[in-house]
Amino acid sequence: MVFSSLTFLCVFLPAVLLLYYLSKNITYKNAVLAVSSLIFYAWGEPSFLILLIAASFINFLLAIGIDKFQGRWQSKLILGIAVAFDIIMIGIFKYAAFLTESANLVFRSSFPVPEIGLPLGISFYTFQILSYVVDVYRKDTGVQRSYLKFITFVSMFPQLIAGPIVRYSQVEKSLEKRNVRLNDFADGSRQFVMGLSKKVFLANYCGEAKDLLLGSATHATAGSAWLGIIFYTFQLYFDFSGYSDMAIGMGRMLGFHFPENFNYPYISRSVTEFWRRWHMTLSGFFRDYVYIPLGGNRKWWARNLLIVWALTGLWHGASWNFVIWGLYYGVLLLIEKLFFKWWAKIPVLSNITTMLVVVVGWGIFYFTDFNELKTFFGYLVGYGCQAYDITTISALCANAWLLAACILVSTPLPRAIYEYITSIKYVGVFLECIIMAAMFVGCIAALTGATSNPFLYFRF
Amino acid sequence: MRKYFVTITFLLLLAASVYIFFSPADTASIEAENREAAELPELSAETLISGEFASGFDSYVNDNVGFRGQLTALSDDIKSYFGFTPKLVGKVISSTSDIGTDETLETGLMLLNGRVMEMFSKKPEIEKKYAEALNNIRSVLPDNVKMYSMLVPTQLEFAKPIYRNAQDSQEQCIEDIDSMLSASITAVDAYGRLKAAEESRPEDSEDGLYFKMDHHWTMDGAYCGYEALMEKTGMNPVDKNDFELKQGEDFYGTLYLKAKSDMEDPEPEKLYYYDVESEGDFELVMRVVYDDGSELEYGQDAPIFDSTKDGYLFFLGGDQPIIEITNNKIKDGKTIMIIKDSYANALVPWLVNNYEKVVLIDPRSFKGSLTKEVERYSPDELAVVNYVFTTTFSDYCELLNDIAE
């Protein structure tokens, strides 16, 4: 199920909130959350529900084992088993076809390529489970002995399929006891509506413009290629950050505090800064569970950096273009760290160059087919196409204000204005309610009339 | 105080969402989209596991929420605030197109001066299949049957270069296919006639060769195709001024339905037609051949111009597997068989003036054998008449090929 669907907004969310608040104690509340999360997951992916339950149950038991033998060699062994199990699981379900195809290509072999569908959200929930077993081993968190609570953590529907990647330690206390204060509920509902609006008004319409410009139904031109990839740049950001906002907002409505995942990444002045602001929970995961254990900044930092970025790329999808995309950032970060630290001090110019790097990066990210990728980069420099055509001009005019809105909403300015007007004495609160209602009704209307409404990060 | 107001507002909004879910469905808004509302899917273990129930339920909710008409209208309004449409530039939107086969293709639509025009994307691999299908049809025809191929371009092809160049050249597609046809198939140059007629037409004239918001040609457009075919067969075309020009019903067209949310309430178009039917004495019969070879005849009293039907369906009442039209005033036995898509339907009212029998076969619904039909009618001529977009549909080319087997 997706958040930005009428089924979710008109049926699922009201029903879950009602049942949740009718439940009198934490056990019932957790049960409501776990069951509704499993229904939420099964809605889109019924056949892989069993994998989610089984993977979480096995890790749940292994973590108890790790805890039991804490400080002894058995604990390390069980951790090894757990990590191997998780990596093999994601390896089979996400990377088996990719690895076989790559092997066939390198060794000119002809192993049959397995046809396994990608289980929804596997990259997200596997990482959450992994962080949990490692944290138990490191004694960074206590062990959970109730499977109900553990499955509630793993499957919690707000963040189950597209993050943020929540670590067990961040919700450990809330699983035992949580009081939702009215402030939390109000803030959560506001963040939810804002996230929904980002997704429905900005991401979806940017997606439509991008589909027209980069799709096969119209002619490729240099102008269309640039404009298309710029719309994709905004689609990705508002899609994913909108989703995260909705997740964090719902979390607060249910009494959880999930970590923020985005912090205006498109105002960054360097690639380093961009990755401190984009998908922060993923960068955090790789920093704490891969980069630092490899030696971090102390030992072989350049090697560590490249390993982390190749893995970051691969996490996004089982295709070589993602590995290239990851390494592209790895190399850029390396160069930046060594030679260009001063560049970020130049305002505007550094913003522009950073965005150029990011937009080109999304080009690598978008095309999973190498030939298409090559052709696309040709188009960017005008090779084999016209500079622009009527489609380019039409798309620019028809989405001119959308583009302006996207640029604006990528900066903290609208939020500052919002906070200012909603804090005006007496009228501010009414304005806030009116804005919220207008956004929500607009979203319901846009979803009713929508033709296309995919979530991009679902496939990762 | 703020927390109370915000929380209450949000809860009221959620309650309103529940309310629209339980409100009676707005059936009129679905009818306006020319389709039926999704029904509540069957709940069973099988549909649950396959995910069919979930996707069916989502469609059901989308189609059956209350106030759907108002909500979609609001959605269109919101969309219109995202930018502007300069009159000279028009608007290009993405859409899908299908021609009544299983395949659906991504396509661009150009909205310009109140017209909605499909944008052509050339597919050389499928063009090859199209030409092969025609060559295969030729190979099963007796040598004495003359065969023609007419591919009809659409209106964007004749717009000014700045608009026309946003799509692939339809002229090139037709030339490429013609060059792949066997020597015993005569290519009919509808393109040239349409181009000449379009160029001589005053720019602001209301009546055109194509409908404004439909992908088909008008009877005037079809007349160009008719003249081109007559030129190749060596017959004289009838003069269109011999027939009374009448005005049919208002209609919008199929492309309008796709572009509606991007248009500002355009006026419906009038359908004009040359009343060939009242000048002559025609008999129609329709026929379907089932997979097991059995047949059923129907539609014996059907008219050429069916005023009970909307839009382009006015011509012959739409597509049928086989339609046989006899002109009782001609007794020379001359018969033409036409393998066709819907473009031929507006051409038929002209052709019936030159042949005693016109037999139309639609490969999308005809399940019989062409050889048998050729034996039955012993046609003098066979023409394959399709609009150029059919050469981008792989499955249509397969269907075309199948009837030769």
Side-chain angles (χ1 to χ4, degrees):
Chain A
M1 200 182 297
V2 292
F3 297 161
S4 59
S5 71
L6 293 180
T7 306
F8 184 83
L9 296 169
C10 300
V11 184
F12 187 85
L13 183 61
V16 171
L17 285 177
L18 188 71
L19 287 173
Y20 187 80
Y21 280 100
L22 285 177
S23 308
K24 52 185 178 187
N25 64 36
I26 192 84
T27 308
Y28 285 126
K29 278 186 170 34
N30 284 343
V32 166
L33 209 48
V35 171
S36 58
S37 295
L38 296 178
I39 293 172
F40 177 88
Y41 186 82
W43 199 256
E45 200 75 77
S47 48
F48 288 124
L49 182 64
I50 194 80
L51 183 72
L52 170 70
I53 295 172
S56 57
F57 189 65
I58 290 167
N59 279 276
F60 163 74
L61 293 179
L62 291 172
I64 293 174
I66 292 170
D67 183 62
K68 191 177 172 210
F69 295 106
Q70 197 65 266
R72 291 152 63 183
W73 64 268
Q74 291 96 327
S75 171
K76 202 171 203 166
L77 176 71
I78 302 172
L79 174 72
I81 293 170
V83 172
F85 172 83
D86 292 336
I87 290 174
I88 290 170
M89 178 181 76
I90 198 171
I92 290 173
F93 285 96
K94 189 168 177 176
Y95 299 105
F98 166 68
L99 292 174
T100 320
E101 275 170 13
S102 302
N104 283 345
L105 205 72
V106 174
F107 304 113
R108 303 207 172 152
S109 52
S110 52
F111 298 114
V113 179
E115 287 178 19
I116 307 171
L118 179 68
L120 200 60
I122 189 168
S123 313
F124 289 94
Y125 72 70
T126 311
F127 272 35
Q128 292 200 178
I129 293 173
L130 257 178
S131 77
Y132 167 68
V133 287
V134 174
D135 284 356
V136 169
Y137 175 79
R138 287 174 174 174
K139 293 189 212 161
D140 285 345
T141 187
V143 72
Q144 180 54 263
R145 293 181 192 280
S146 150
Y147 182 62
L148 173 65
K149 285 175 190 158
F150 188 67
I151 190 78
T152 307
F153 154 66
V154 176
S155 73
M156 211 184 309
F157 74 86
Q159 45 78 52
L160 170 61
I161 41 186
I165 297 167
V166 179
R167 296 192 200 171
Y168 178 74
S169 56
Q170 290 162 329
V171 292
E172 189 180 8
K173 282 188 188 137
S174 309
L175 286 168
E176 307 295 335
K177 184 174 182 293
R178 52 188 181 270
N179 290 319
V180 185
R181 285 172 307 177
L182 210 51
N183 253 337
D184 281 326
F185 196 94
D187 287 350
S189 58
R190 183 175 43 213
Q191 190 163 2
F192 177 78
V193 174
M194 291 305 163
L196 182 67
S197 307
K198 274 188 189 176
K199 160 70 184 157
V200 174
F201 296 136
L202 303 177
N204 280 4
Y205 291 111
C206 282
E208 277 185 28
K210 177 263 294 173
D211 287 344
L212 176 76
L213 290 159
L214 300 184
S216 58
T218 54
H219 274 179
T221 64
S224 292
W226 276 107
L227 199 57
I229 206 68
I230 287 170
F231 275 119
Y232 182 59
T233 298
F234 286 119
Q235 183 193 7
L236 262 178
Y237 171 51
F238 291 118
D239 193 276
F240 195 17
S241 76
Y243 193 96
S244 291
D245 283 341
M246 285 186 266
I248 296 163
M250 279 188 288
R252 285 193 78 176
M253 285 187 237
L254 299 167
F256 293 93
H257 288 265
F258 298 152
E260 288 292 335
N261 216 10
F262 291 89
N263 182 23
Y264 304 105
Y266 290 165
I267 60 165
S268 304
R269 286 190 185 178
S270 66
V271 179
T272 314
E273 188 185 357
F274 173 76
W275 277 103
R276 280 196 200 118
R277 292 170 174 272
W278 177 276
H279 204 176
M280 299 185 290
T281 57
L282 180 72
S283 324
F285 180 94
F286 277 113
R287 183 191 61 227
D288 294 346
Y289 299 100
V290 184
Y291 187 70
I292 293 175
L294 279 174
N297 289 336
R298 289 173 289 116
K299 206 166 70 183
W300 296 96
W301 68 270
R303 180 206 65 172
N304 301 343
L305 197 77
L306 290 178
I307 291 175
V308 162
W309 284 96
L311 288 176
T312 303
L314 208 52
W315 179 87
H316 283 83
S319 169
W320 281 108
N321 73 306
F322 292 114
V323 179
I324 294 175
W325 174 77
L327 287 173
Y328 164 82
Y329 274 112
V331 170
L332 282 170
L333 286 164
L334 209 75
I335 295 172
E336 197 171 82
K337 222 169 172 175
L338 290 174
F339 310 109
F340 284 99
K341 271 187 172 168
W342 53 274
W343 183 256
K345 294 190 180 109
I346 310 168
V348 185
L349 205 59
S350 58
N351 291 100
I352 293 171
T353 50
T354 305
M355 274 320 288
L356 196 67
V357 163
V358 170
V359 169
V360 169
W362 292 136
I364 306 171
F365 191 84
Y366 183 69
F367 291 96
T368 45
D369 180 295
F370 267 124
N371 285 331
E372 283 182 25
L373 181 65
K374 220 167 73 188
T375 317
F376 172 76
F377 275 90
Y379 293 151
L380 284 182
V381 292
Y383 179 74
C385 66
Q386 290 176 294
Y388 65 92
D389 70 358
I390 202 88
T391 308
T392 321
I393 305 171
S394 149
L396 182 60
C397 296
N399 297 292
W401 316 141
L402 172 67
L403 197 57
C406 287
I407 295 170
L408 204 64
V409 181
S410 297
T411 73
L413 189 66
R415 192 190 172 112
I417 297 171
Y418 177 85
E419 277 170 5
Y420 173 75
I421 59 166
T422 55
S423 64
I424 301 170
K425 222 173 177 183
Y426 305 120
V427 288
V429 63
F430 292 105
L431 285 174
E432 183 162 9
C433 294
I434 290 168
I435 293 171
M436 187 189 225
M439 294 282 198
F440 191 85
V441 172
C443 286
I444 294 276
L447 288 173
T448 311
T451 46
S452 138
N453 179 28
F455 263 117
L456 297 179
Y457 261 71
F458 273 18
R459 65 186 173 115
F460 302 130
Chain B
M1 189 180 72
R2 175 184 304 275
K3 59 190 177 189
Y4 292 105
F5 276 97
V6 173
T7 302
I8 289 168
T9 306
F10 183 71
L11 292 178
L12 285 175
L13 289 168
L14 276 191
S17 317
V18 177
Y19 177 71
I20 62 162
F21 172 67
F22 284 109
S23 299
D26 179 2
T27 45
S29 79
I30 298 283
E31 278 163 23
E33 288 170 20
N34 220 3
R35 62 186 181 92
E36 284 179 16
E39 286 179 7
L40 196 61
E42 187 197 338
L43 180 64
S44 68
E46 202 181 311
T47 58
L48 269 179
I49 290 167
S50 69
E52 221 173 283
F53 178 81
S55 63
F57 189 84
D58 286 340
S59 312
Y60 167 79
V61 177
N62 273 41
D63 280 2
N64 290 278
V65 288
F67 313 101
R68 190 177 176 280
Q70 286 98 321
L71 288 169
T72 45
L74 178 60
S75 163
D76 294 346
D77 281 348
I78 293 170
K79 211 172 158 189
S80 69
Y81 289 126
F82 283 140
F84 57 98
T85 307
K87 209 169 169 229
L88 268 177
V89 175
K91 193 171 188 181
V92 176
I93 60 169
S94 56
S95 182
T96 54
S97 88
D98 76 277
I99 51 167
T101 55
D102 291 337
E103 216 172 335
T104 301
L105 298 180
E106 295 286 319
T107 182
L109 292 179
M110 191 179 288
L111 283 56
L112 184 71
N113 297 331
R115 291 184 175 270
V116 186
M117 302 177 278
E118 283 180 301
M119 294 164 76
F120 183 68
S121 291
K122 199 170 180 303
K123 302 227 164 74
E125 283 305 307
I126 302 173
E127 284 170 9
K128 218 184 273 174
K129 278 174 81 174
Y130 183 89
E132 272 168 20
L134 263 62
N135 291 338
N136 287 341
I137 290 173
R138 173 70 262 185
S139 67
V140 299
L141 288 181
D143 290 345
N144 62 334
V145 179
K146 288 184 191 154
M147 182 168 165
Y148 302 95
S149 161
M150 185 198 295
L151 271 168
V152 187
T154 63
Q155 56 180 323
L156 185 54
E157 187 70 5
F158 305 115
K160 286 182 184 151
I162 183 171
Y163 307 116
R164 181 174 73 219
N165 291 343
Q167 63 165 2
D168 289 338
S169 165
Q170 300 184 18
E171 186 178 24
Q172 189 62 52
C173 162
I174 296 171
E175 273 175 19
D176 289 351
I177 288 176
D178 286 350
S179 71
M180 287 186 271
L181 296 178
S182 86
S184 52
I185 301 175
T186 308
V188 176
D189 184 22
Y191 189 99
R193 294 268 175 176
L194 284 160
K195 190 178 179 192
E198 193 64 51
E199 279 167 359
S200 62
R201 204 170 68 88
E203 205 171 303
D204 54 350
S205 80
E206 273 296 298
D207 56 327
L209 305 178
Y210 295 92
F211 293 109
K212 285 184 180 168
M213 293 175 280
D214 198 276
H215 60 290
H216 292 105
W217 54 2
T218 62
M219 247 183 110
D220 279 312
Y223 187 78
C224 296
Y226 166 65
E227 281 184 309
L229 179 63
M230 289 299 104
E231 186 191 322
K232 296 291 182 194
T233 60
M235 282 191 271
N236 288 327
V238 289
D239 187 341
K240 62 180 172 182
N241 297 320
D242 290 347
F243 304 96
E244 189 184 347
L245 183 63
K246 287 188 174 169
Q247 186 182 312
E249 298 291 315
D250 284 359
F251 88 109
Y252 281 101
T254 52
L255 297 181
Y256 167 72
L257 286 177
K258 293 180 177 174
K260 203 165 99 178
S261 59
D262 289 280
M263 300 186 85
E264 284 175 19
D265 303 327
E267 289 289 309
E269 186 170 6
K270 299 266 183 267
L271 186 144
Y272 289 97
Y273 66 102
Y274 295 87
D275 194 1
V276 173
E277 196 163 26
S278 60
E279 301 283 328
D281 177 9
F282 302 103
E283 262 175 47
L284 260 80
V285 63
M286 300 171 180
R287 188 152 48 82
V288 55
V289 183
Y290 294 106
D291 286 335
D292 62 1
S294 62
E295 298 184 353
L296 175 75
E297 281 196 353
Y298 61 100
Q300 279 83 352
D301 297 318
I304 291 178
F305 299 124
D306 189 345
S307 53
T308 63
K309 297 272 177 72
D310 289 335
Y312 191 77
L313 295 181
F314 175 79
F315 300 104
L316 300 171
D319 297 313
Q320 309 292 337
I322 298 185
I323 305 179
E324 174 191 328
I325 306 159
T326 311
N327 185 340
N328 290 327
K329 286 189 176 171
I330 301 178
K331 295 289 177 198
D332 61 2
K334 198 149 185 146
T335 301
I336 186 167
M337 189 171 266
I338 297 186
I339 298 170
K340 52 96 194 172
D341 75 342
S342 55
Y343 255 64
N345 299 6
L347 180 71
V348 163
W350 298 119
L351 287 179
V352 291
N353 297 295
N354 292 73
Y355 296 89
E356 183 176 336
K357 255 191 209 321
V358 177
V359 180
L360 304 173
I361 295 182
D362 193 320
R364 292 166 296 183
S365 50
F366 175 72
K367 302 275 177 250
S369 134
L370 179 67
T371 320
K372 266 192 191 164
E373 299 305 327
V374 169
E375 275 169 22
R376 185 198 301 253
Y377 291 107
S378 310
D380 305 280
E381 290 158 4
L382 181 141
V384 182
V385 178
N386 286 310
Y387 99 122
V388 71
F389 280 71
T390 55
T391 69
T392 62
F393 284 86
S394 180
D395 64 352
Y396 184 79
C397 297
E398 280 157 25
L399 290 167
L400 207 53
N401 198 46
D402 287 349
I403 63 170
E405 283 170 2

